[in-house]
Amino acid sequence: MKRFVVILVSMLLLIFAAFFFYRYYFVFGRGAKAGELNFFVQKGYVWKTYEGRLIQTGFKPQNLGGVQSNEFQFSVTDERIAQKLMSSSGKFLELHYKEYLGALPWRGYSTFIVDSIISITDPATGKRVAF
């Protein structure tokens, strides 16, 4: 009986670990988004995470007859990328991201995690900014 309980508990722990990995660490999608950086902040009570919002060009109707701008809300875990984004508010950015199925408090509020900057363009001059 004791061996059965050990095997059962081990199986349950293995299933839980597999579910946790799939939900929070499996990369569901990768992609790139482009738009104007609306804001980028560091916030949080226990874990200070970097959060940002990219306003994309164009409009999409949320419901029939309505108009809403496209927003891409994201988190950043890399300090080096966060510092570059802190000084890029109002600029046109192309960002590469990973999409996870769930958010972890120490990784950020969003399931979209930006892992690199493709390009930064100053909209006033139209020139790419070195980063």
Side-chain angles (χ1 to χ4, degrees), residues 18-30 97-105 107-113:
F19 171 77
F20 188 82
F21 173 80
Y22 177 74
R23 178 94 173 128
Y24 297 107
Y25 287 97
F26 173 73
V27 177
F28 178 69
R30 296 175 196 270
Y97 67 90
K98 294 178 184 177
E99 180 182 2
Y100 296 93
L101 297 173
L104 291 169
R107 192 168 60 194
Y109 294 112
S110 175
T111 58
F112 297 101
I113 307 298

